[in-house]
């Protein structure tokens, strides 16, 4: 499966590197306005393939995306001093208005995988510009937040995070919702598992885990300027699920018809991923507090989305 990546910066290159390590894709194409950067990233990653999987990786223009089944959109502009979030969104919408038609001109059958932040709103923007069915325009959503949640729970319980099933819903951002009522470990509700291994999951500990998941990006950005390894691995895993048609359930973002009474908003829910993109949404059982929090998250995203010039027309 041929995979294209638009934007060869930290996120795009980390995704390509993770795919090379995992053996995802039959060919990976890096496209960037800075052609030298794309070429350098491709060369650097391909030098790692003898230690991993022999995935061909090269840089090129949009025309080299022909035949791609997935195209990752990780391009965008940085926030200027004094610039509001809405102004930034308008500028990133303008970037996507140039990128998305070019991608679909050369790869009309591709699934679009959005990684540019704020990812939920950018997923809605890409969907509006592309005019594709929602299941073919997927945002990375809370895939990384879910991984953080599982990792922290695994650390506390002394088990592999792969033995933890716990998900983050809603916005990839401050209003995200940790689905504690549905969290499982070793086939048991997470509190019951914690009691059996004598690692009590107290309210104060749950609050610390919640804060650690919610604030992780801020702490990482403060220390190193950006987050990219975690999301790069998450993007590679999403591509693998599509490539293998393995029907994995992942918390990705797409435009939803109705979320707790909020219509036409992009956010994350558990979804089944297959060869055609999102196969089916899975709406989890929520506590009353979680349902209210998810509605609040949907309203925040909706308000921000509708403030963008593209949606005011």
């Amino acid at each position: 499966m041929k995979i294209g990546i638009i934007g060869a910066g930290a996120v795009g290159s980390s995704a390509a590197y993770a795919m090379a390590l995992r053996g995802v894709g039959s060919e990976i194409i890096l496209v960037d306005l800075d052609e030298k950067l794309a070429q350098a990233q491709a060369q650097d990653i391909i030098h790692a393939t003898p230690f991993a999987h022999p995935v061909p990786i090269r840089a090129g223009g949009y025309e080299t995306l022909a035949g791609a089944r997935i195209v990752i959109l990780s391009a965008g502009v940085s926030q200027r001093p004094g610039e509001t979030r809405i102004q930034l969104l308008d500028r990133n919408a303008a970037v996507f208005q140039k990128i998305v038609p070019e991608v679909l001109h050369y790869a009309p059958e591709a699934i679009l995988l959005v990684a540019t932040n704020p990812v939920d709103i950018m997923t809605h923007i890409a969907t509006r510009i592309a005019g594709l069915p929602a299941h073919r325009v997927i945002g990375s959503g809370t895939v990384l937040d879910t991984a953080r949640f599982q990792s922290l729970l695994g650390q506390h319980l002394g088990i592999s995070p792969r033995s933890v099933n716990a998900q983050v819903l809603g916005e990839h951002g401050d209003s995200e919702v940790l689905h504690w009522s549905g969290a499982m470990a070793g086939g048991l509700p997470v509190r019951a598992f914690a009691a059996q291994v004598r690692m009590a999951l107290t309210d104060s500990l749950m609050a610390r885990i919640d804060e650690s998941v919610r604030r992780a990006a801020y702490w990482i950005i403060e220390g190193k300027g950006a987050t990219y390894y975690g999301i790069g691995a998450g993007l590679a895993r999403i591509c693998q699920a599509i490539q293998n048609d393995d029907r994995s359930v992942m918390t990705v973002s797409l435009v939803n018809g109705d979320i707790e009474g909020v219509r036409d908003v992009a956010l994350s829910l558990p979804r089944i991923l297959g060869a055609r993109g999102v196969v089916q949404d899975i709406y989890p059982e929520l506590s009353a507090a979680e349902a209210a929090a998810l509605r609040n998250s949907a309203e925040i995203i909706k308000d921000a989305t509708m403030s963008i010039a593209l949606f005011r027309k």
Side-chain angles (χ1 to χ4, degrees), residues 12 25 48 53 77 105 138 142 162 164 170 243 287 293:
H53 294 271
V77 294
H105 177 74
I138 305 168
T142 57
R162 292 187 176 186
V164 177
Q243 172 181 271
S287 69

Side-chain angles (χ1 to χ4, degrees), residues 278-290:
V278 171
V279 176
Q280 185 174 340
D281 297 347
I282 305 297
Y283 206 94
E285 294 184 1
L286 304 173
S287 69
E290 289 167 345

Side-chain angles (χ1 to χ4, degrees), residues 47-63:
H47 294 163
T49 57
F51 308 111
H53 294 271
V55 179
I57 300 168
R58 62 190 176 98
Y62 285 102
E63 69 281 359

Side-chain angles (χ1 to χ4, degrees), residues 248-291:
S248 292
V249 177
M250 303 180 74
T251 52
V252 294
S253 182
L254 55 73
V255 178
N256 304 269
D258 185 286
I259 298 293
E260 296 295 327
V262 182
R263 296 192 58 77
D264 196 30
V265 63
L267 53 68
S268 287
L269 291 175
R271 308 184 198 273
I272 302 171
L273 286 174
R276 296 178 61 248
V278 171
V279 176
Q280 185 174 340
D281 297 347
I282 305 297
Y283 206 94
E285 294 184 1
L286 304 173
S287 69
E290 289 167 345

Side-chain angles (χ1 to χ4, degrees), residues 178 180 190-191 201-211:
L178 276 67
W180 282 103
V190 71
R191 277 187 181 271
L201 199 57
T202 63
D203 290 344
S204 62
L205 179 62
M206 290 168 65
R208 287 201 298 273
I209 290 174
D210 188 292
E211 177 74 1

